[in-house]
Amino acid sequence: MAAVDGKSVLVLGGSRGIGAAIVRRFTGDGARVTFTYAGSRDAALALAAETGATVEHTDSADRDAVIARVRDSGPLDVLVVNAGFAIFGDALEQDPDAIDRLFRVNIHAPYHASVEAARKMPDGGRIIVIGSVNGDRMPVPGMASYALSKSALQGLARGLARDFGPRGITINVVQPGPIDTDANPADGPMKELMHSFMAIKRHGRADEVAGMVAWLAGPEAGFVTGAMHTIDGAFGA
Ligand code: NDP
């Protein structure tokens, strides 16, 4: 029996890519999974039909909707905050409203979701946030807002680990390097540059990230909290 068998899991942003791999991993391990989507309705419904997970529309840019979704899905044994995106380009030319939306999805939602989940989470619960190796290292221009957002998750985990540690609730950040998804396809134009930084010169697979998330959700990781877990082929080494 897998460690999460029968446990209640919410994945914010699970319709595609890394989030979908996490949904597949947890449902495969016997968990009761709910996941959210914003724009990819068809993909979300197909994944729900494939896995038996429950699917809900919740835009992570909407703070109150995120809090309500977490509250209404609880009590949760495991919360995974995966929804996130990047905006590329000259910082001097970027639309400040678009940048603020990025901060709402990538920073505000992880904070408010984590706090709301902890209200009803049983002792020993797990909160896992998907950050990025770009929280540690940003080797190219045009992605400062994304780097800021992923660095912010490090402070989130360090701080909330203190708040929730007495209840045995852990909070950790998984920091992927290049992973083959719609957001960063393995055959994309940045492939050669990204691989040049890496010791293992390939994109990672979403299921490899899901494996790390599953370990953090399990009993062997009960003493692991407030920590960053990089899975990047040594992109940031
Ligand atoms: P994808 O673009 O392939 O998928 C993003 C997922 O997040 C989709 O399910 C999408 O749902 C959901 N999402 C995005 N915005 C929202 C929103 N406002 N509300 C709800 N859900 C939302 O990205 P990846 O799978 O590549 O990335 C997943 C996470 O991993 C992100 O946090 C990203 O920053 C991080 N990451 C990815 C890396 C990579 O190389 N791929 C590297 C490092 C970190 P929908 O389409 O339904 O809106």
Side-chain angles (χ1 to χ4, degrees):
M1 187 186 294
V4 295
D5 191 50
K7 301 256 184 187
S8 171
V9 178
L10 174 64
V11 180
L12 293 177
S15 55
R16 297 182 291 111
I18 293 170
I22 293 167
V23 170
R24 287 191 177 95
R25 173 64 192 247
F26 278 123
T27 52
D29 286 347
R32 292 179 289 116
V33 178
T34 299
F35 73 92
T36 66
Y37 71 99
S40 301
R41 185 169 187 273
D42 290 350
L45 294 180
L47 182 66
E50 173 196 328
T51 60
T54 300
V55 59
E56 301 281 0
H57 180 273
T58 306
D59 184 349
S60 282
D62 181 340
R63 181 199 64 198
D64 293 342
V66 168
I67 291 172
R69 174 58 49 218
V70 172
R71 184 188 63 228
D72 295 347
S73 303
L76 299 170
D77 296 298
V78 180
L79 169 70
V80 181
V81 187
N82 170 75
F85 68 99
I87 297 175
F88 305 93
D90 185 344
L92 303 184
E93 303 294 334
Q94 289 172 340
D95 173 4
D97 287 336
I99 299 298
D100 280 0
R101 183 173 185 279
L102 181 151
F103 293 150
R104 288 202 301 279
V105 173
N106 289 17
I107 304 175
H108 300 188
Y111 178 85
H112 292 296
S114 298
V115 169
E116 186 61 29
R119 293 187 201 284
K120 289 195 240 164
M121 189 171 259
D123 290 2
R126 299 281 194 269
I127 301 170
I128 299 152
V129 181
I130 308 300
S132 168
V133 68
N134 293 137
D136 285 333
R137 182 177 190 228
M138 177 42 76
V140 295
M143 289 182 69
S145 58
Y146 184 71
L148 161 58
S149 73
K150 295 304 187 178
S151 297
L153 299 178
Q154 301 182 346
L156 169 73
R158 292 185 179 113
L160 289 184
R162 303 282 177 191
D163 290 85
F164 305 149
R167 294 164 54 195
I169 295 172
T170 67
I171 175 163
N172 288 281
V173 182
V174 168
Q175 300 193 143
I179 306 297
D180 183 17
T181 66
D182 296 340
N184 187 1
D187 58 358
M190 299 283 283
K191 166 186 155 185
E192 300 297 340
L193 178 64
M194 285 189 283
H195 293 186
S196 73
F197 300 131
M198 299 164 74
I200 297 174
K201 294 186 182 300
R202 65 169 174 85
H203 274 49
R205 300 190 313 273
D207 66 279
E208 292 176 306
V209 180
M212 178 177 272
V213 171
W215 181 78
L216 286 166
E220 291 177 312
F223 193 54
V224 180
T225 193
M228 316 316 140
H229 308 274
T230 300
I231 172 168
D232 72 339
F235 180 98

